[in-house]
Amino acid sequence: MIVPMKKISLVVLEKERRQALKDLRKLGVVHLEEVDGMSEELSLCKKKTSVLETAVSILGEIKTPKKAKAKSIDKDAAFELAKEVTDMVEEKKNLYSTKTAYDNEIERLRAWGSVEPEQFEFLAEKGVYLSMFEIPTDKYNLIDESIDTLLVNKDKTTARFLVITDSKLEANDRPAGLRAEAYRVVMPKLSIAKLTEESKNCQKRIEEIDQKTADSALYLSSLKNALKEFTKDVEFENLYSGMGTETDQEVSVKLSWLTGYVPAEDLDSVKQAASQNKWALAADDPSEDDAVPTKLKNNKLVSLIYPVTDFLGTVPGYNEYDISNWFLLFFTIFFGMIFGDGGYGALLFAGAVAMMIPAIAKKKAPGPFIFLLALLGLATMVWGAVTCTWFGLTPSQLPECIKKLSIPAISNVTSATEGIAMRLLDGQNKVVTLTNEAWVKENLQIFCFALALVQLSIAHLKGIAKNIRSPKFLGEFGSLLQLWGMFYVVLSMVVDGVRFPLGVTPESYYLFDRVPLSTVCLGLIGFGFALSFIFSNYEGSLVKSILESCKNIVSVLLGVVNVFSDIVSYIRLWAVALAGGAISATVNEMAGPLLGHAIMFIFAILILTVGHGLNMILNVLSVIVHGVRLNTLEFSSHLGMSWTGFKYKPFQE
């Protein structure tokens, strides 16, 4: 359930606000409204937090030896170490850049041999100016004899030579008459030997930094603890500097105030603290415009869904429904159907049990995720049993005892059996004939749509209960009638128009042996639409409600279509499971022929492991995309939920 909250306002003396915040944090039950504080202390805390976050991220990527023992330091020392780590990493980046520049210079001049800029400068002081040039080898002999050159070396493609002049050539200058193919080589600032030495020094310093960083990783836990403390300091200083202040003109006393929310069950503790600390306290129910945090409180079973909702970041608004119980129920069903394979379910369950053992050995309670995984594994095993789906194997490959666990109407055993499924309609001597495979396929589709009918009906029943004291409940009842009527339309248009005809045919079902069921369902859609049109927008006036529906006539009409599409959307449970089953069967077909050969047996095991492993990963993604969607979109839209809430996070130590 969503825990009822109270909105409180606290007024304290301005000079006591720091101590008041400390006492409030120690109390640990008040969710304070966000403020935008500003102070030097806050800026400093934010800077330290940023440095620690960077250092923790850097050190977290370093693998420490298993035998190495973690070291601990205090909060301030942790910050100094974090600053040192971030500085070293920045220095390392610069060293890499410098070393790369040196190495590029060395590579550029490698063919020239040893180049000493100091010697060039010495000769220049004597009036002899040398410039480095390169030219295609076959063009060197074509250089005009008037140009004084000295060949350094040459290979098949390039000739390297010096041009001797009696005056200095600027960077873009070249001797007159020098062939265009010749290009000037820029003189390095350092000699090749010096460049090599500097590159080695950079590498040495990089290695020193790597070693120091690795040594610092032993303090990672201390840095994480310091980060938590500084984060709390940021929160505290933000509240301290952002508290509202004003002066009581009558007594010239400065006051500070803040507002927040507290669970109704904890209000007495806040009152007691206010009395002890002489705070002024006002408490009242939140208004509709207040941004109230949401605190959920459920039993241990329902709480198993929290790892999923926390991962998704979905929180119901304070004035919305807590659907944790329904979310868990249907998510478990959807998971089992999408995975669809009892063998996969057994692996998940075994994995959950394996993760429980270490916790139990340490006499600790396993985390909720482990129990959720075990529950989902069991659900998948149940669905695999009733449909006779185990690791993509055909029924003929499975033992008889496993086949007997399945339900014939939705079992692969039935699909694999040749024959015609015969069913009497409405107690009459009329039949519809289908192959066993088609019959099972349609039954699975009907089951998916039946799930849609049940889940979406629950949404509208909750709406009826919520608005039971207002005529608005009739609008929800109308939506429920549309849903029931549209269910038959979906069966007719998607499953089988012969088995579920919309018109009156010899195969029609009859209600009380007189009225065609299709007529009843279409009537439910029409009557439900009328009720929804008249009462859905009721807010004290029937006329205004009708006018509001008229203003939004397009969306109202599209709402009927949306009911159809929402029901049809549940067919994804069957379609995704069908795709997963096809992948499993394909993997088995690829590996099957190899299992009979001793040499190829290992490759067959590898194919099975990788193939089924990838299929399980795809199934997990399918659950996230499809199984979650049906709860957070289709079901929630019929509930009128937008998931705009945010978690209750009390100000605490």
Side-chain angles (χ1 to χ4, degrees):
M1 70 171 187
I2 296 177
V3 176
M5 307 291 286
K6 292 288 185 178
K7 183 177 182 179
I8 65 168
S9 296
L10 287 173
V11 180
V12 301
L13 294 175
E14 196 275 338
K15 63 181 181 180
E16 296 178 356
R17 58 175 175 162
R18 183 172 289 275
Q19 185 59 45
L21 282 175
K22 290 181 179 179
D23 294 335
L24 201 61
R25 182 167 66 178
K26 187 176 181 180
L27 187 61
V29 295
V30 181
H31 178 110
L32 296 173
E33 287 188 339
E34 290 186 8
V35 296
D36 189 12
M38 186 178 297
S39 69
E40 291 184 5
E41 186 65 25
L42 175 60
S43 298
L44 180 60
C45 289
K46 285 183 176 180
K47 181 180 179 181
K48 290 182 177 180
T49 302
S50 177
V51 171
L52 278 162
E53 285 178 344
T54 303
V56 167
S57 176
I58 292 168
L59 298 180
E61 296 179 357
I62 298 175
K63 293 183 178 180
T64 56
K66 294 182 179 180
K67 295 182 179 180
K69 293 183 178 180
K71 299 180 180 180
S72 61
I73 49 178
D74 61 24
K75 174 183 174 182
D76 293 329
F79 168 70
E80 293 300 326
L81 178 60
K83 190 173 184 303
E84 182 182 356
V85 168
T86 54
D87 289 344
M88 286 193 299
V89 170
E90 187 63 30
E91 181 187 357
K92 182 179 175 180
K93 290 180 181 178
N94 294 333
L95 286 169
Y96 267 124
S97 178
T98 303
K99 183 178 183 301
T100 300
Y102 289 152
D103 291 343
N104 288 340
E105 279 290 270
I106 293 171
E107 185 62 29
R108 180 174 71 88
L109 300 168
R110 186 179 301 279
W112 282 84
S114 178
V115 179
E116 302 286 344
E118 295 84 358
Q119 295 179 1
F120 283 77
E121 293 174 0
F122 175 78
L123 291 174
E125 292 175 357
K126 303 297 182 181
V128 179
Y129 296 90
L130 302 178
S131 302
M132 301 165 62
F133 282 86
E134 292 183 358
I135 194 171
T137 302
D138 58 348
K139 303 293 184 181
Y140 178 74
N141 293 328
L142 302 179
I143 296 176
D144 195 295
E145 294 183 357
S146 63
I147 300 174
D148 195 2
T149 65
L150 176 63
L151 180 65
V152 176
N153 62 52
K154 64 180 178 178
D155 51 35
K156 292 182 179 179
T157 59
T158 306
R160 299 165 190 85
F161 62 97
L162 299 174
V163 172
I164 306 171
T165 58
D166 54 5
S167 62
K168 182 178 181 180
L169 292 177
E170 297 300 329
N172 296 324
D173 290 348
R174 55 194 291 124
L178 183 64
R179 296 185 65 84
E181 295 90 345
Y183 62 92
R184 188 171 181 178
V185 177
V186 178
M187 181 70 63
K189 294 181 179 180
L190 300 174
S191 66
I192 298 298
K194 188 65 175 176
L195 287 172
T196 303
E197 181 183 355
E198 290 298 324
S199 178
K200 289 180 179 179
N201 290 338
C202 288
Q203 181 61 36
K204 182 179 179 181
R205 178 55 183 161
I206 289 172
E207 291 173 357
E208 290 176 357
I209 290 175
D210 287 340
Q211 184 59 50
K212 287 185 178 181
T213 307
D215 294 340
S216 300
L218 298 176
Y219 297 93
L220 181 59
S221 59
S222 292
L223 266 65
K224 288 182 177 179
N225 292 333
L227 176 58
K228 291 179 181 178
E229 293 184 34
F230 276 112
T231 301
K232 289 182 179 179
D233 290 345
V234 169
E235 181 186 24
F236 186 94
E237 294 299 330
N238 181 60
L239 287 169
Y240 176 77
S241 59
M243 288 178 67
T245 59
E246 60 182 42
T247 303
D248 189 331
Q249 300 296 335
E250 295 182 2
V251 293
S252 299
V253 175
K254 286 188 176 182
L255 302 175
S256 294
W257 54 271
L258 50 80
T259 58
Y261 301 90
V262 60
E265 60 192 13
D266 295 324
L267 182 60
D268 288 342
S269 62
V270 178
K271 288 181 177 179
Q272 185 178 357
S275 177
Q276 291 175 350
N277 295 284
K278 297 181 180 181
W279 302 333
L281 171 67
D284 199 359
D285 292 327
S287 66
E288 292 185 1
D289 297 329
D290 287 327
V292 187
T294 301
K295 180 182 179 181
L296 300 178
K297 186 177 181 180
N298 290 292
N299 58 47
K300 292 183 178 180
L301 175 61
V302 176
S303 299
L304 293 181
I305 197 62
Y306 289 168
V308 177
T309 54
D310 289 344
F311 171 76
L312 298 173
T314 53
V315 180
Y318 178 70
N319 294 311
E320 294 182 337
Y321 300 100
D322 175 19
I323 60 169
S324 299
N325 51 349
W326 298 115
F327 199 125
L328 176 64
L329 173 62
F330 286 103
F331 178 77
T332 302
I333 296 172
F334 298 157
F335 187 99
M337 293 180 66
I338 290 174
F339 258 72
D341 192 297
Y344 291 174
L347 292 177
L348 294 177
F349 183 77
V353 172
M355 287 188 283
M356 289 181 187
I357 294 174
I360 295 174
K362 295 179 181 179
K363 297 182 179 180
K364 294 182 179 179
F369 171 77
I370 297 176
F371 285 109
L372 176 63
L373 183 63
L375 176 63
L376 298 177
L378 283 173
T380 307
M381 289 174 65
V382 170
W383 184 255
V386 299
T387 59
C388 197
T389 307
W390 299 88
F391 291 114
L393 298 173
T394 62
S396 61
Q397 296 172 316
L398 296 171
E400 197 65 30
C401 59
I402 290 182
K403 296 181 191 177
K404 290 181 179 179
L405 295 175
S406 64
I407 298 175
I410 56 174
S411 173
N412 284 329
V413 177
T414 306
S415 295
T417 305
E418 294 184 2
I420 301 296
M422 311 288 290
R423 289 163 310 284
L424 292 176
L425 289 178
D426 202 25
Q428 304 176 31
N429 294 323
K430 303 169 185 175
V431 296
V432 174
T433 59
L434 287 173
T435 63
N436 285 335
E437 183 178 4
W439 181 57
V440 171
K441 169 188 169 183
E442 290 189 1
N443 288 339
L444 287 170
Q445 292 175 348
I446 293 171
F447 182 78
C448 292
F449 297 141
L451 273 178
L453 181 64
V454 172
Q455 187 177 31
L456 301 183
S457 293
I458 290 171
H460 292 294
L461 289 172
K462 291 178 74 70
I464 291 172
K466 180 180 179 180
N467 299 288
I468 194 64
R469 296 183 179 181
S470 166
K472 194 172 183 178
F473 90 91
L474 291 172
E476 285 287 351
F477 182 66
S479 297
L480 182 63
L481 295 181
Q482 290 183 70
L483 178 68
W484 290 347
M486 196 62 73
F487 174 71
Y488 184 86
V489 175
V490 170
L491 295 182
S492 177
M493 299 184 68
V494 179
V495 179
D496 192 338
V498 176
R499 290 178 65 185
F500 307 101
L502 283 177
V504 180
T505 69
E507 291 79 17
S508 294
Y509 293 93
Y510 286 85
L511 193 64
F512 306 118
D513 296 331
R514 292 186 178 182
V515 184
L517 186 58
S518 59
T519 303
V520 174
C521 292
L522 293 174
L524 289 176
I525 295 173
F527 183 60
F529 176 80
L531 288 177
S532 180
F533 186 87
I534 296 170
F535 296 102
S536 286
N537 300 302
Y538 183 84
E539 294 293 343
S541 172
L542 195 62
V543 175
K544 289 182 179 180
S545 178
I546 296 174
L547 289 176
E548 189 65 27
S549 295
C550 291
K551 290 179 184 178
N552 302 292
I553 187 64
V554 175
S555 61
V556 171
L557 292 173
L558 288 176
V560 181
V561 180
N562 287 339
V563 175
F564 177 87
S565 63
D566 287 344
I567 297 174
V568 172
S569 184
Y570 282 70
I571 202 171
R572 69 183 66 236
L573 298 171
W574 165 76
V576 174
L578 187 65
I583 293 175
S584 297
T586 302
V587 171
N588 292 341
E589 289 177 3
M590 292 171 60
L594 302 178
L595 290 173
H597 300 277
I599 299 178
M600 305 301 292
F601 182 80
I602 296 177
F603 292 100
I605 297 300
L606 181 63
I607 291 173
L608 290 172
T609 303
V610 174
H612 286 291
L614 289 175
N615 195 24
M616 291 184 71
I617 293 173
L618 291 174
N619 284 339
V620 171
L621 297 176
S622 297
V623 168
I624 295 174
V625 173
H626 303 290
V628 170
R629 171 204 164 102
L630 294 176
N631 279 300
T632 57
L633 186 60
E634 277 79 3
F635 183 44
S636 297
S637 65
H638 283 255
L639 280 167
M641 288 182 62
S642 55
W643 298 96
T644 55
F646 56 97
K647 271 190 172 184
Y648 162 74
K649 294 182 179 179
F651 181 51
Q652 59 186 357
E653 294 180 337

